[in-house]
């Protein structure tokens, strides 16, 4: 996967990333991979551990087209977990980096110069280029992103794909924002 961005400090750099298959083990620092379980199975740690407490949940089908295997921005949702899965289990990809939200009770000065404030008001540290990973998701499973997980995508080879998406009703209006850092001078693509 390639990451494409504008550079204010010179020409953009292309970073090629080899995708890793999303499994509960490989994805655990970013969220959860949720796979099928028998009907009647009781709630437990293999189920999506959701935080939708800060607003009205929205569950909908998201139709996407022309999502090449490259990205130039990365975003996060500071107030909510999010679930994404392809309808039909087709292969798709997601670029991610760990959450970097800074506790607002901690001094901004104590965290260094990299601490920024979002338009929504929360504090965060931009993800480093070296910390961006790409995952391949295939089959009947979905991803639950931890609150604050940076993500780019869904990305896919097909001309069009449909995804189910569980987030807050105002996620894309008030609590999601794109961000480029020194990542601004990079472009990513799937190998």
């Amino acid at each position: 996967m390639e990451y494409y961005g504008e550079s204010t400090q010179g020409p953009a750099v292309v970073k090629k990333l080899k995708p890793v298959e999303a499994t509960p083990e490989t994805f655990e620092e970013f969220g959860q991979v949720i796979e099928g379980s028998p009907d009647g199975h009781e709630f437990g740690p293999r189920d999506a551990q959701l935080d939708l407490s800060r607003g009205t949940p929205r569950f909908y089908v998201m139709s996407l087209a022309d999502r090449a295997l490259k990205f130039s921005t990365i975003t996060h949702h500071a107030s909510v977990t999010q679930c994404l899965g392809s309808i039909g289990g087709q292969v798709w990809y997601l670029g991610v980096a760990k959450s970097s939200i800074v506790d607002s009770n901690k001094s901004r000065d104590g965290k260094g110069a990299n601490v920024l404030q979002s338009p929504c008001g929360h504090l965060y540290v931009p993800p480093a280029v070296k910390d961006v990973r790409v995952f391949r998701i295939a089959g009947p499973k979905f991803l639950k992103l931890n609150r604050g997980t940076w993500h780019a995508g869904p990305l896919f080879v097909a001309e069009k794909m449909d995804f189910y998406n569980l987030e807050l009703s105002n996620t894309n209006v008030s609590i999601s924002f794109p961000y480029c850092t020194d990542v601004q001078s990079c472009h990513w693509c799937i190998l």
Side-chain angles (χ1 to χ4, degrees):
M1 174 172 287
E2 286 184 11
Y3 175 81
Y4 289 89
E6 301 283 326
S7 175
T8 57
Q9 303 164 351
V13 175
V14 175
K15 296 285 186 177
K16 295 189 179 196
L17 299 173
K18 185 174 181 181
V20 174
E21 190 67 33
T23 67
E25 297 76 26
T26 62
F27 198 73
E28 70 184 337
E29 63 185 321
F30 309 103
Q32 294 175 272
V33 174
I34 307 299
E35 299 177 283
S37 60
D39 186 31
H41 191 260
E42 293 194 23
F43 179 77
R46 293 182 53 176
D47 296 307
Q49 307 298 304
L50 303 173
D51 179 0
L52 299 169
S53 63
R54 296 180 181 151
T56 303
R58 179 182 183 204
F59 183 63
Y60 65 103
V61 174
M62 180 172 64
S63 294
L64 300 175
D66 302 319
R67 295 293 181 110
L69 301 182
K70 58 187 177 183
F71 59 96
S72 60
T73 59
I74 194 162
T75 191
H76 73 247
H77 308 302
S79 300
V80 63
T81 55
Q82 180 179 13
C83 294
L84 291 166
S86 72
I87 294 177
Q90 298 97 326
V91 174
W92 58 288
Y93 300 86
L94 191 70
V96 296
K98 287 193 294 189
S99 176
S100 58
I101 297 171
V102 175
D103 185 341
S104 61
N105 295 325
K106 295 183 180 177
S107 167
R108 189 173 185 183
D109 296 332
K111 280 299 204 178
N114 284 345
V115 176
L116 300 176
Q117 186 169 16
S118 79
C120 308
H122 67 275
L123 302 175
Y124 66 94
V125 176
V129 172
K130 66 179 179 55
D131 295 331
V132 175
R133 304 284 181 266
V134 174
F135 286 89
R136 178 183 183 273
I137 303 91
K141 57 186 168 186
F142 68 91
L143 298 181
K144 190 274 309 197
L145 302 176
N146 289 337
R147 184 177 72 86
T149 295
W150 292 92
H151 57 285
L155 306 169
F156 46 86
V157 176
E159 185 175 311
K160 178 184 179 222
M161 282 181 67
D162 290 331
F163 292 82
Y164 49 88
N165 190 353
L166 175 62
E167 57 189 6
L168 293 184
S169 61
N170 66 346
T171 292
N172 292 320
V173 175
S174 66
I175 60 175
S176 172
F177 67 98
Y179 180 77
C180 278
T181 101
D182 61 348
V183 177
Q184 287 175 340
S185 62
C186 292
H187 302 310
W188 300 97
C189 76
I190 293 177
L191 294 172

